[in-house]
Amino acid sequence: MNANLLFGSMLVVSIGVSSCATGGKEQNTGTKPVFSAEDMDLSVDPGTNFFEYANGGWRKQHPLPDDKSRYGSFDLLAEENKEKVKLIIENAAAQNAEDGTVSQKIGDFYASGMDMDAINKAGIKPIQPLLSKINSIEKQDDIVKVISFLQQQGINPLFYYHATADQKNSKMNIAGVYQSGLGMPDRDYYLEKTDDAKKLRDAYQNYLTTLYTLSGHAETEAAKKAELVFDFETSLAKASNSRLENRDPHKTYNKVDINGVEEMVKPFPFASFIKGMGYSVPAEINVSQPEFLAEVGKLYKKEKLSTWKTFLTSVVLRNTAAYLTQDFVNANFAFYGQAMSGQKEQEPRWKKVVNTTNGALGEAVGQLFVAEYFPPAAKKRMDKLVENLRIAFGQRISQLEWMSDETKQAAQEKLDAIRVKIGYPNKWRDYSDLKVVKTSYVENILASNRFELDFDLAKIGKPVDQDEWFMTPQTVNAYYNPLANEIVFPAAILQPPFFYLDGDDAVNYGAIGVVIGHEMTHGFDDQGRLFAKDGNMEEWWTAEDSEKFNARTKVLVDQFNQFEVLPGVFANGELSLGENIADLGGLLISYQAYLNSLNGKENTEKIDGFTDKQRFYLAYSRVWAQNIRDAEIARLTKVDVHSLGSNRVNGPLPNVQEWYDAFGLDAKSPLFITPEERASIW
């Protein structure tokens, strides 16, 4: 599975919503970032809706663009970065570089995606070899051969086959199998009985019908094929784990040999599938969802060849639609953009192609991005901030009244062992084997997919590369990886409103400091705490401490379950628990670190009328400023482990006494939670 999925089999947990430089342009940080009344809504009582109090003005100044389903601080910075990356790519394209160079690959990849005349003229010709392969199926064994072939192209009809660190031997990579095959974003869209779910199912079948029509089928025939595919995918959905089940690393750890896999998926010949991709059968494979594989085996046995051909064709069409003609692109947007997320119009073409070029040549672009935009001084200041946060977290652990000394000692050892990566990798990816042409966008996409698959599967059976990054430097995000016990902060997030190189300490601790604390806390959330300091999944807590932890986190679950995000739709406190623990922990740890930085003195300076303590919480809240469409609220509530921006502010803060003190809030405030009912974990 692609690690850029942020969460899933690799258990990478991010903050957001998702290279050795010796120079760089200074960021326009200013020396004293302020919070003006224009960015806030001072007419709102902070104890009633702190999110709106802190961000109301910003939200009015940044209305939702028609091409966005959500627009917030993260998105604004990502858009600014996209402009920078565009310049990098266009400069590479302008060089007319020698064939095989990184500049040639970046430039030609982008040029191929921007040439809509050539793309429209080519029609479906670029994917015809894939469709012909499917149409050549004549017997059951051919199904496996075709699935192997598609898997090589980065198209996963049934499951992801990938490399992953062994959760109980985290220094070694093994093979992994993870459920796939659904065209809708989550299994619940296939299964729920609500009117909204039914509308989306109808929209999805219309989308499939359009794809078949565009590929040359009569509309009546296309509609029948769409219905057949939907029924097939519904069978997969019924056997799929829920997102909540997939958050349980014990449930998704089922390591077996090839005989064990083939027993799960019989009569599907899994060894033949692996060999068909051109790889040897590994000694160990982790199957994340055994029940799903069992359903694959049943479908392999009972479904007609014609059904398999129809399904596999649909998988190719929906995996390539965004890169084909304008009609395909429009159909793809009509479902995934409009129906699913509420977007009114598509992004400009260049933004889409920048994203794709970034995905294919991420570290090559990242190396240029870092050299141009990431000053070494930012890395130096972040190093200091991280260590200050580590000290503060250690202080909080030592002061916990509910945890035994035995578990505290182990927690301190794990905290001390956390590895830190800031800005960019120590070594860059080599793209020598990736061939890029200027004449075919789809072929470049498929070539990149094959290149990434080879890179990934080559890791199986080898030691984990401790220097590998799972985000590019130009990504506005951060993550914690429990299997490596590491926190990672790409260069792109080290900019306002997260990080001010020469800025006010209260603001930096409230923004990037909380991000750092958030990622550290992931090592001790409901998932991360199941992994020891060396990254291995093992029980290092006493049984009594585990019970106390679960009781305390249930308070947070119950609190977030009460947030009504749309009429009759409530937040999922269990699905978002890890992120909510990390937000609350990050706030408490970073505030402690900020107090430590004062060395016992008081910071009496007010900026724009706000005290340092107020600036800390305003800076945190500004990170989550956003406007969002109702359709996107509904989608994210179902599929995202992160809470909505407003809930990331109004959710954790009422559990923090120092927040009440900073703004003079008391029991009369609607957000007030009595001390005995607050979540108190880290």
Side-chain angles (χ1 to χ4, degrees):
M1 176 178 283
N2 190 330
N4 288 328
L5 293 175
L6 307 189
F7 44 85
S9 66
M10 294 211 54
L11 295 175
V12 170
V13 191
S14 69
I15 177 72
V17 275
S18 186
S19 152
C20 200
T22 57
K25 293 180 179 177
E26 287 295 314
Q27 303 167 33
N28 182 22
T29 61
T31 57
K32 294 289 183 183
V34 297
F35 295 90
S36 69
E38 292 181 358
D39 286 334
M40 302 171 65
D41 187 345
L42 299 178
S43 70
V44 175
D45 174 20
T48 299
N49 186 342
F50 195 77
F51 173 78
E52 191 64 23
Y53 169 77
N55 299 315
W58 189 98
R59 296 179 69 218
K60 290 177 182 177
Q61 296 166 41
H62 299 85
L64 264 170
D66 287 344
D67 64 350
K68 295 288 183 291
S69 58
R70 181 196 67 192
Y71 195 64
S73 293
F74 262 93
D75 308 285
L76 179 58
L77 182 53
E79 289 294 296
E80 292 171 354
N81 271 4
K82 203 171 290 185
E83 294 278 359
K84 295 174 181 176
V85 171
K86 180 189 179 187
L87 287 176
I88 290 171
I89 291 173
E90 288 179 341
N91 287 339
Q95 293 178 18
N96 290 320
E98 184 179 348
D99 190 47
T101 62
V102 168
S103 292
Q104 174 266 317
K105 292 174 183 182
I106 293 173
D108 285 358
F109 200 110
Y110 182 73
S112 71
M114 292 300 294
D115 191 351
M116 281 306 301
D117 288 342
I119 292 170
N120 286 329
K121 185 177 180 180
I124 64 168
K125 184 178 179 180
I127 62 168
Q128 199 60 59
L130 282 65
L131 300 178
S132 297
K133 196 82 170 177
I134 295 169
N135 289 332
S136 70
I137 292 175
E138 295 181 348
K139 57 185 183 300
Q140 192 176 48
D141 288 349
D142 293 339
I143 296 172
V144 182
K145 294 176 183 177
V146 170
I147 292 174
S148 296
F149 171 73
L150 294 179
Q151 206 90 10
Q152 287 176 305
Q153 318 307 313
I155 297 173
N156 309 288
L158 298 170
F159 34 69
Y160 297 98
Y161 179 71
H162 61 105
T164 180
D166 186 338
Q167 290 177 199
K168 292 190 176 181
N169 182 20
S170 61
K171 297 298 185 287
M172 290 297 297
N173 284 306
I174 60 172
V177 183
Y178 201 94
Q179 67 189 27
S180 182
L182 304 182
M184 300 181 81
D186 188 80
R187 67 162 201 169
D188 290 350
Y189 287 111
Y190 295 83
L191 308 178
E192 287 183 349
K193 306 300 182 183
T194 64
D195 289 341
D196 286 343
K198 184 180 184 303
K199 288 178 182 177
L200 287 172
R201 286 194 288 271
D202 290 343
Y204 180 55
Q205 290 194 63
N206 289 337
Y207 172 53
L208 292 175
T209 299
T210 301
L211 292 184
Y212 275 111
T213 303
L214 291 174
S215 61
H217 297 274
E219 188 168 348
T220 301
E221 180 188 8
K224 289 180 180 178
K225 288 180 177 294
E227 184 176 359
L228 189 70
V229 169
F230 183 81
D231 290 343
F232 189 99
E233 290 184 16
T234 300
S235 296
L236 294 178
K238 289 177 179 178
S240 298
N241 277 9
S242 69
R243 289 180 183 264
L244 193 57
E245 289 173 319
N246 284 335
R247 289 196 72 251
D248 183 349
H250 291 295
K251 185 176 182 63
T252 57
Y253 186 74
N254 306 280
K255 188 170 70 171
V256 292
D257 60 14
I258 188 61
N259 293 327
V261 178
E262 294 208 317
E263 181 62 28
M264 293 177 188
V265 73
K266 64 182 181 184
F268 186 94
F270 205 86
S272 297
F273 156 73
I274 296 173
K275 293 175 183 175
M277 287 193 291
Y279 300 96
S280 58
V281 176
E284 299 175 318
I285 302 175
N286 181 59
V287 178
S288 293
Q289 299 90 9
E291 296 84 359
F292 181 84
L293 279 198
E295 180 62 24
V296 169
K298 292 176 184 177
L299 293 171
Y300 179 70
K301 182 178 181 180
K302 74 176 184 180
E303 292 293 351
K304 299 177 182 177
L305 293 181
S306 59
T307 299
W308 276 101
K309 291 165 77 169
T310 300
F311 167 68
L312 293 174
T313 298
S314 75
V315 173
V316 169
L317 292 174
R318 61 176 167 78
N319 272 273
T320 57
Y323 317 117
L324 292 171
T325 68
Q326 191 63 53
D327 287 340
F328 276 97
V329 171
N330 292 343
N332 181 271
F333 171 75
F335 178 65
Y336 292 110
Q338 290 179 312
M340 288 298 312
S341 296
Q343 281 178 251
K344 294 184 178 181
E345 64 181 41
Q346 299 184 50
E347 282 188 320
R349 178 73 183 180
W350 73 263
K351 291 186 179 181
K352 298 179 184 180
V353 183
V354 162
N355 287 341
T356 312
T357 307
N358 238 336
L361 292 143
E363 286 196 15
V365 175
Q367 191 169 2
L368 299 174
F369 178 89
V370 166
E372 186 74 7
Y373 296 110
F374 186 59
K379 190 175 191 300
K380 184 176 180 180
R381 185 162 188 193
M382 271 294 290
D383 284 331
K384 184 176 180 180
L385 279 170
V386 169
E387 291 314 308
N388 289 349
L389 267 290
R390 197 195 301 263
I391 291 169
F393 199 177
Q395 290 171 334
R396 294 196 63 85
I397 291 172
S398 67
Q399 295 166 3
L400 292 175
E401 296 179 356
W402 60 270
M403 180 178 281
S404 69
D405 289 341
E406 179 183 347
T407 304
K408 281 183 182 179
Q409 181 178 345
Q412 295 280 14
E413 290 175 358
K414 180 172 183 179
L415 176 64
D416 291 341
I418 290 177
R419 299 172 67 246
V420 183
K421 297 176 179 177
I422 296 172
Y424 47 83
N426 291 327
K427 60 181 181 182
W428 296 101
R429 286 278 303 274
D430 179 1
Y431 291 92
S432 300
D433 292 336
L434 173 60
K435 184 178 180 181
V436 175
V437 297
K438 202 171 186 176
T439 53
S440 178
Y441 189 40
V442 170
E443 178 49 40
N444 286 335
I445 299 288
L446 297 178
S448 173
N449 290 347
R450 293 191 294 270
F451 175 77
E452 291 297 333
L453 184 72
D454 285 340
F455 177 77
D456 184 52
L457 297 188
K459 303 173 191 174
I460 295 174
K462 296 178 181 178
V464 169
D465 181 358
Q466 297 290 325
D467 291 325
E468 184 176 5
W469 280 51
F470 299 119
M471 285 180 183
T472 64
Q474 62 272 32
T475 302
V476 183
N477 216 319
Y479 69 87
Y480 172 75
N481 181 1
L483 297 175
N485 193 25
E486 66 181 9
I487 52 178
V488 184
F489 305 97
I493 200 174
L494 304 181
Q495 303 179 72
F498 299 93
F499 176 74
Y500 299 83
L501 181 58
D502 300 313
D504 173 30
D505 275 348
V507 169
N508 271 332
Y509 277 98
I512 197 65
V514 177
V515 172
I516 296 167
H518 174 106
E519 299 305 340
M520 285 184 175
T521 306
H522 270 313
F524 304 86
D525 67 15
D526 62 315
Q527 279 185 307
R529 78 176 193 88
L530 302 177
F531 295 82
K533 64 180 181 181
D534 58 3
N536 289 336
M537 186 169 65
E538 61 183 60
E539 187 54 71
W540 53 274
W541 294 54
T542 68
E544 183 179 2
D545 286 337
S546 290
E547 289 180 10
K548 290 179 179 178
F549 176 87
N550 291 334
R552 287 169 179 268
T553 59
K554 187 178 185 305
V555 175
L556 211 54
V557 171
D558 293 341
Q559 287 180 6
F560 276 81
N561 280 342
Q562 295 175 26
F563 283 113
E564 189 173 18
V565 298
L566 291 171
V569 179
F570 290 83
N572 189 333
E574 287 183 285
L575 181 62
S576 60
L577 177 58
E579 296 300 328
N580 297 334
I581 292 171
D583 280 345
L584 179 56
L587 277 162
L588 296 170
I589 295 162
S590 191
Y591 190 83
Q592 178 72 55
Y594 174 64
L595 294 182
N596 290 346
S597 74
L598 298 178
N599 296 313
K601 300 178 182 179
E602 281 291 323
N603 181 351
T604 59
E605 181 183 19
K606 286 190 175 183
I607 299 179
D608 247 26
F610 297 102
T611 68
D612 61 325
K613 310 298 192 303
Q614 291 172 331
R615 298 196 301 273
F616 176 93
Y617 293 111
L618 288 168
Y620 169 74
S621 303
R622 181 60 45 77
V623 165
W624 302 115
Q626 65 177 218
N627 288 299
I628 186 169
R629 301 190 192 281
D630 285 353
E632 184 70 347
I633 289 174
R635 186 186 74 84
L636 291 177
T637 299
K638 188 181 298 294
V639 305
D640 196 357
V641 295
H642 303 87
S643 293
L644 298 172
S646 58
N647 293 348
R648 296 187 81 161
V649 176
N650 293 337
L653 287 178
N655 293 290
V656 180
Q657 182 58 46
E658 292 81 0
W659 171 70
Y660 293 102
D661 296 340
F663 290 90
L665 305 177
D666 55 25
K668 297 177 183 178
S669 300
L671 289 176
F672 182 82
I673 299 175
T674 60
E676 58 271 17
E677 293 179 328
R678 294 174 193 168
S680 176
I681 306 168
W682 294 107

